[in-house]
Amino acid sequence: MNTQTFLNEIEEIIEVDKNSLNGTEVLKDLEDWDSLALMGFIAMVDTNMDVTLEAEKINACVTVNDLVVLVADYLDK
Amino acid sequence: MIKSTLNNVSISCICAAVPDNQRSVKDDWKGEEGDIQKVIKNTGVHSRYVTDINTCTSDLCFEAAQTIIKEKNIDPLEIDGLIFVTQTPDTFLPATSCALHGRLGLSKNCATFDVNLGCSGYVYGLWIASTFISSGSLKKVLVLSGDTITKLCDESDRSTWPLFGDAGSATLVEHDDNAEPLHFVIATDGNGADKLEVKNGAFRNPGTPNLFMSGSDIFTFTIREVPPMIKEVLKLSKCTKDDVDFFVFHQANAFILNYLSKKMKLDNDKVLVSLDRFGNTSSASIPLTVVANKEKFSTGKKAVFSGFGVGFSWGAVAFDSSKVEICSLQKVSR
């Protein structure tokens, strides 16, 4: 999975248009980034990268790009 | 992970009871319409049964226990063990199990105690009962498990109010020389204690009790611990998932159940569900799911029960389910 497909997966979880995220968005400003989206995000990362993220680490992220950094080791370069 | 294989024990009868008050999640929701549709999609809960202020968990479990005693034609004086698994007891003291012992008219020759566990509590209750029976200390034990969690939920909290329901259950566990072994795995991680809790209302923090749940932490815990637990209990019982007719998981929520099934590549037909009608009923959810799927479950020979959640605490049992009798769902009105 590369960065763009990772962003596309997040777009699907929070139900926004494809390719609408550029990474600079502040998570708490995204309307549908809520506890349900968080579970969807953890499931997506577990499925695609075989990594179980701690909710605490996700909660520490401020922007979408912080999520990208969180899984950087598992993204295609 | 504790592994425990116990001989000469039979899970012989299961019953469940709910308050006679089925409530639609949608009708009960006081927030935005769009919000609740999304919540229902993720939780899978369309309705649940909710107690009135006067009905306690013990009342629901009492009804389930009485039904087993009547339908199995058991002399209550033969029961030498009563375990009440709950996080919503009648009183701080005495143990609610003692009050139930009196109401059920059991003998003085009866070990009776409460166990304070929720999602994993049913499996723990079966394990404790089976351990006593297998050791020869007890012969006939009633495991009563359930909760009236709705009393702890804030109606404005969309993570708990639309998810939880109330229910009680009773399971008869007996000595049986011809029983196939029961295989248990049991575990705990107290680092998750604050992820699902009622912080106030006891002695550390007096105040009004209110349920808090961090759904994402529970989800992470579940996908990290449950698949290895199932793998371990299958290994212990020397079988594969294909040999199991039915998996009955704690009914946490639909998102978790679906994801677990997908991750463990389980056949959906083998995973029994009841939360669409009953919600998450804590330690009653496994026996309630069996009762709600009575006809289907009765066709199976091998089952795995698995509870996981508050604590964090988790456990599973693999066993021969062919001899389990299942009573009809009881509805309690007061």
Side-chain angles (χ1 to χ4, degrees):
Chain A
M1 175 177 274
N2 61 29
T3 304
Q4 187 54 52
T5 50
F6 178 71
L7 291 176
N8 293 150
E9 291 282 354
I10 297 174
E11 287 155 356
E12 203 168 309
I13 291 166
I14 61 173
E15 296 174 357
V16 296
D17 291 342
K18 196 174 178 184
N19 298 326
S20 61
L21 295 177
N22 62 33
T24 60
E25 297 82 3
V26 175
L27 291 168
K28 69 177 174 58
D29 293 341
L30 296 168
E31 192 184 339
D32 282 328
W33 183 255
D34 55 14
S35 57
L36 299 175
L38 212 55
M39 286 204 289
F41 179 74
I42 294 167
M44 183 272 286
V45 171
D46 186 64
T47 301
N48 292 295
M49 302 173 188
D50 201 21
V51 178
T52 308
L53 291 175
E54 295 297 329
E56 206 170 282
K57 288 188 176 169
I58 306 169
N59 287 331
C61 293
V62 177
T63 66
V64 173
N65 274 335
D66 292 338
L67 296 176
V68 176
V69 171
L70 195 60
V71 299
D73 288 348
Y74 308 98
L75 291 172
D76 298 337
K77 304 295 179 216
Chain B
M1 206 178 292
I2 292 166
K3 296 166 205 165
S4 175
T5 292
L6 299 169
N7 294 301
N8 305 324
V9 184
S10 170
I11 298 171
S12 59
C13 191
I14 299 176
C15 186
V18 292
D20 194 10
N21 178 30
Q22 189 176 18
R23 309 280 308 178
S24 149
V25 169
K26 196 177 158 197
D27 291 348
D28 277 356
W29 183 244
K30 295 184 175 70
E32 296 283 325
E33 164 82 20
D35 266 5
I36 198 62
Q37 293 298 357
K38 193 175 164 189
V39 169
I40 290 171
K41 187 180 158 202
N42 277 276
T43 60
V45 180
H46 293 269
S47 70
R48 65 271 187 268
Y49 289 80
V50 179
T51 54
D52 59 33
I53 192 76
N54 297 315
T55 305
C56 289
T57 307
S58 62
D59 301 320
L60 304 175
C61 290
F62 174 78
E63 191 64 33
Q66 281 283 56
T67 303
I68 286 184
I69 288 169
K70 278 182 200 156
E71 290 198 10
K72 292 271 288 181
N73 199 22
I74 294 167
D75 178 356
L77 300 179
E78 284 178 13
I79 294 166
D80 55 7
L82 172 63
I83 301 168
F84 183 44
V85 183
T86 193
Q87 306 203 300
T88 47
D90 292 11
T91 50
F92 280 125
L93 62 97
T96 305
S97 51
C98 293
L100 278 164
H101 173 277
R103 286 172 72 183
L104 289 165
L106 306 188
S107 151
K108 287 179 186 171
N109 296 320
C110 184
T112 303
F113 54 91
D114 285 12
V115 172
N116 183 342
L117 284 170
C119 320
S120 66
Y122 181 65
V123 174
Y124 264 78
L126 294 180
W127 176 61
I128 296 165
S130 302
T131 301
F132 278 119
I133 292 169
S134 190
S135 74
S137 300
L138 302 176
K139 296 281 186 202
K140 210 180 272 284
V141 180
L142 273 176
V143 176
L144 309 185
S145 69
D147 269 310
T148 43
I149 293 290
T150 63
K151 293 182 179 184
L152 297 167
C153 297
D154 183 335
E155 290 187 26
S156 64
D157 183 348
R158 76 171 198 172
S159 70
T160 59
W161 178 245
L163 176 63
F164 287 95
D166 300 327
S169 72
T171 301
L172 183 66
V173 187
E174 293 184 274
H175 174 87
D176 178 356
D177 284 329
N178 300 316
E180 295 287 319
L182 274 70
H183 305 278
F184 287 90
V185 293
I186 295 287
T188 309
D189 177 6
N191 291 313
D194 62 350
K195 307 306 181 195
L196 178 53
E197 66 172 350
V198 176
K199 197 169 185 173
N200 301 329
F203 301 103
R204 178 73 66 189
N205 300 292
T208 306
N210 188 27
L211 183 69
F212 164 79
M213 180 174 74
S214 170
S216 49
D217 283 296
I218 302 284
F219 182 62
T220 296
F221 148 72
T222 302
I223 61 174
R224 190 181 57 224
E225 303 295 353
V226 174
M229 166 172 69
I230 298 300
K231 201 173 164 188
E232 201 58 50
V233 82
L234 291 175
K235 190 176 157 196
L236 190 64
S237 64
K238 296 184 177 64
C239 68
T240 69
K241 62 186 179 190
D242 296 332
D243 300 323
V244 176
D245 297 299
F246 296 112
F247 291 88
V248 187
F249 294 104
H250 165 58
Q251 304 286 292
N253 68 44
F255 188 86
I256 288 178
L257 287 181
N258 292 338
Y259 191 76
L260 279 178
S261 298
K262 186 177 140 197
K263 191 172 168 74
M264 293 188 281
K265 299 185 173 62
L266 301 180
D267 179 348
N268 279 341
D269 280 349
K270 290 186 173 188
V271 180
L272 301 184
V273 175
S274 70
L275 89 169
D276 51 336
R277 284 174 290 155
F278 299 95
N280 177 335
T281 54
S282 185
S283 59
S285 78
I286 294 172
L288 178 59
T289 301
V290 170
V291 170
N293 293 276
K294 183 180 169 181
E295 309 299 333
K296 193 173 179 181
F297 187 84
S298 299
T299 63
K301 289 182 179 167
K302 180 119 192 154
V304 170
F305 291 168
S306 169
F308 46 85
V310 62
F312 295 134
S313 169
W314 60 108
V317 56
F319 69 105
D320 169 14
S321 60
S322 60
K323 291 181 189 166
V324 181
E325 288 180 41
I326 305 165
C327 301
S328 301
L329 180 70
Q330 304 297 304
K331 292 190 179 169
V332 177
S333 53
R334 288 173 68 90

